[in-house]
Every structure is written in C-alpha cells, then in structure tokens.
Amino acid sequence: MSYDGKLLARARDELDRIRQENAAERVRRTAEAYEKKPELRRCDEAMRAQMTELVRLTLSGETEKIETLREENLALQRRRGELLRQLGHGEDWLDEIVSCGKCRDSGVYQGGVCECLKRLYNAEVTRELGVLLQNGDESFEKFDLTLYDDKALPGAGIVPRETMKKVLSIAEDFARRFPDGTDSLLFQGGTGLGKTFLSACVARAVAEKGFSVCYDTASSVIGSFEAQKFSRDEAADARVKRMLSCDLMILDDLGTEMPTPMAESALYTLINTRLTEGRKTIISTNLSFGEMEKRYSGQICSRIRGEYRLLPFVGRDIRQIKR
C-alpha cells in the first residue's frame, strides 16, 4: 500500500497525541496512588535503586550478591501488588499505558506500519469524504423505499420499490462483508434516484469498520490525473495515489466528464489498477450500459461488465417527489 505523506504525518500526529494522553493518565494514576498509599512511592524508589545496584553488581562480577538482590526485589514486588490491590486495582495499574499491544504505540510492527497506524491513516483518508457525507444521516436505515412507486412502470413490468429493495439489500451486504465476498458495484439510473445517497450509506458503513474510503466525481478524478501527468502537481499526485490504493473508491457521475483520450486513459488506469490489486470500487452513472459502450473503449466496458455487479436504479426523481 502506498501512503500519502501528508495524511500519514497527520496519522502519526494523532498517534503521538494518544501516547501523550496515555502518559498523562499514567502520571495521574501514580500521583493518586502515592497520595493514598505513600508506601507505594517508597516501594518504587527502592525498586529503581535495586535496578541500579543490579547493573553495578553485574559489571563488577559480584554474582553472589545478585540472588539476594533478586529475592529482595521479589518481596518488594509482592508488597507493591498488595498495596495496589488494597486500592482496588490490579498489579499492573501503574505500568506504562499503551493503546496498541503490538507496537506499543510506536506505529511500527515487524519492520512495517502497524495496524493501529493504518487505522489512523484510513481515518485521515476518509475525512476527505466531507463532500459526500454532508448531512450526517447517511445510513441504510434512512434509505426510504416508500419514495419509490409500488406499481409497475408502464410498459416495463418493473416495480421500482421491489427493484430498489433488492438494490438496497445488495448494498447492505456489500458493506457488511467488505472487503470480501462481493464484486465492485455499478449504480446505473437517471438523475435523482438515490445513487449518491446509497453510495454515502456504503461509505459511512465501510469507514466505520476502519477501512479507507475515497470519493470523487469522474471530472475531478480526471483533473487529478491530468495535473499529476502534466503539471507535476504533488497534491494531485497524492490524490491519485489515494484513489488507487484506498480500500474503497467511490467514483460518482461517470459520463459527465469531457470525453478525451486523457479521460479514457485515466478511467482505465483507475478501474484496471484497482481490479488488479483486488480493491473494491463503486461507480455511479446516469448512462445505460449501451450508452457507456458508445462512449468508452471496449477495455473499460469489458472490465466493468465482467468484474462489477450492475445495479439498476429506477423510479421517479426523488427530489421532485420531496418538493
């Protein structure tokens, strides 16, 4: 996984804040314990003195005294534990406090980035979802199926509410099982049928599980690829890397971008790279698949048809219904 240096730095800052909070809590606990049981302070001071003496004895070769020192230290540990239990705490209550037992809040584990730092990084990536998660109520429970007609569309034999009930169920399953067990999704349908809202519902559910989620419109995505290629824009380069490497990419409004060779190349790179690396994507578009085949190359359409689950959004414009 490639990391955006700016966002990784913010994640490290958050990890440092966690370390500082833990250290401050340990200081608070120690002060409280020493005040209630002054003997605890004497135990700790004596044990620190014993450690210094142990080093001296080891360096001087006075090994015969080490066993006596060890027994004295064990007696102090037992007394210290007894005092802490009298306060209603475990023997480790004054030990160093860490939020991650693997890396002990260093962010590094077995020579790589620890899972705790990855979660903080994913949170920073997902914070970029502000444009998508703007109402704060994006959840599957708020996806109102009553806004879709329960009678068949004239001449089509399709009941919008029944169709959208199936779409909602598939989206919920996608989020629940993420990142395993399901294909990427293509949301297809006219304007105002809930594609962006349902994308936001999935994004929130996936982000709450600790995965990184990126959202952008097709036009903006292509703009980032162009800036990366032609302007050597570091910010654009970081955005492109995030879009390629995030756990879930949501590409909105496919078909509203200008049809250019650069747009074609950027879209293929995004779709193909993510599929090759096993990363999930949700694409929403107002285009039918026939319209997509006229607009995009066979490579792009083939990848989508073969690797994405196509979900039709049907009904009347929800915004007009609400008005």
Side-chain angles (χ1 to χ4, degrees):
M1 178 177 179
S2 59
Y3 293 95
D4 180 328
K6 182 179 179 181
L7 296 187
L8 186 59
R10 277 160 44 182
R12 291 189 186 281
D13 287 344
E14 177 62 15
L15 186 60
D16 185 57
R17 185 192 65 77
I18 291 172
R19 280 196 299 268
Q20 292 177 21
E21 282 191 354
N22 287 338
E25 173 61 14
R26 188 187 185 193
V27 169
R28 186 198 67 76
R29 290 183 183 185
T30 301
E32 176 187 306
Y34 285 178
E35 181 180 0
K36 293 180 178 179
K37 292 285 185 181
E39 188 182 347
L40 272 171
R41 182 193 298 273
R42 294 192 291 272
C43 285
D44 286 346
E45 290 173 347
M47 290 172 66
R48 284 193 290 270
Q50 286 175 336
M51 291 302 297
T52 302
E53 178 65 6
L54 176 62
V55 172
R56 188 193 70 77
L57 291 174
T58 302
L59 292 176
S60 67
E62 300 176 64
T63 55
E64 70 281 358
K65 296 181 180 181
I66 291 179
E67 181 60 27
T68 299
L69 185 64
R70 187 182 74 84
E71 291 177 359
E72 292 174 353
N73 179 264
L74 288 174
L76 274 175
Q77 288 186 46
R78 287 193 294 271
R79 178 56 181 164
R80 184 178 187 270
E82 182 182 339
L83 291 169
L84 285 170
R85 285 193 295 275
Q86 289 175 8
L87 291 173
H89 305 302
E91 294 183 7
D92 61 350
W93 195 63
L94 295 184
D95 292 354
E96 179 186 13
I97 301 172
V98 294
S99 297
C100 178
K102 287 184 176 181
C103 71
R104 303 193 70 78
D105 297 346
S106 69
V108 179
Y109 181 66
Q110 296 183 342
V113 176
C114 185
E115 289 298 321
C116 68
L117 184 56
K118 286 181 182 178
R119 286 194 296 271
L120 294 174
Y121 176 82
N122 288 345
E124 293 298 332
V125 173
T126 304
R127 195 163 286 127
E128 306 293 312
L129 283 172
V131 175
L132 182 63
L133 305 181
Q134 54 188 333
N135 297 321
D137 64 346
E138 298 84 1
S139 66
F140 295 119
E141 293 75 16
K142 296 291 179 66
F143 193 85
D144 190 355
L145 289 170
T146 65
L147 294 171
Y148 299 90
D149 293 329
D150 59 359
K151 294 182 173 57
L153 295 174
I158 297 173
V159 180
R161 188 175 299 176
E162 289 301 316
T163 298
M164 295 310 302
K165 184 178 180 180
K166 294 176 182 177
V167 168
L168 175 60
S169 177
I170 292 169
E172 288 179 306
D173 185 64
F174 176 93
R176 182 174 57 254
R177 299 167 64 186
F178 189 90
D180 303 316
T182 183
D183 295 329
S184 291
L185 303 178
L186 177 69
F187 291 172
Q188 286 183 295
T191 301
L193 295 181
K195 299 187 298 298
T196 299
F197 184 82
L198 190 56
S199 296
C201 296
V202 175
R204 185 178 293 281
V206 169
E208 287 175 350
K209 293 170 67 174
F211 294 101
S212 58
V213 184
C214 287
Y215 163 84
D216 221 330
T217 62
S219 296
S220 181
V221 167
I222 291 164
S224 295
F225 273 87
E226 289 177 339
Q228 179 199 44
K229 182 174 181 178
F230 299 116
S231 304
R232 299 177 182 271
D233 186 328
E234 292 185 3
D237 183 60
R239 287 195 299 273
V240 169
K241 287 179 178 178
R242 286 204 301 274
M243 289 186 286
L244 293 175
S245 65
C246 65
D247 297 312
L248 174 63
M249 176 68 202
I250 297 177
L251 179 64
D252 203 10
D253 287 336
L254 182 68
T256 59
E257 75 285 351
M258 291 292 291
T260 65
M262 180 65 218
E264 186 86 9
S265 174
L267 288 172
Y268 180 75
T269 297
L270 179 67
I271 293 169
N272 187 63
T273 298
R274 293 188 58 80
L275 283 173
T276 300
E277 295 180 356
R279 304 185 189 281
K280 299 297 190 291
T281 306
I282 295 177
I283 298 176
S284 69
T285 180
N286 294 348
L287 303 176
S288 67
F289 207 86
E291 292 170 328
M292 289 177 62
E293 289 178 321
K294 293 178 182 178
R295 183 182 180 96
Y296 301 110
S297 70
Q299 286 180 311
I300 290 178
C301 293
S302 175
R303 294 297 269 158
I304 292 176
R305 184 182 287 279
E307 304 289 347
Y308 281 62
R309 186 163 187 176
L310 279 54
L311 300 180
F313 281 62
V314 295
R316 294 179 293 150
D317 190 327
I318 292 173
R319 289 186 288 265
Q320 292 184 8
I321 295 174
K322 288 182 175 181
R323 284 199 294 268

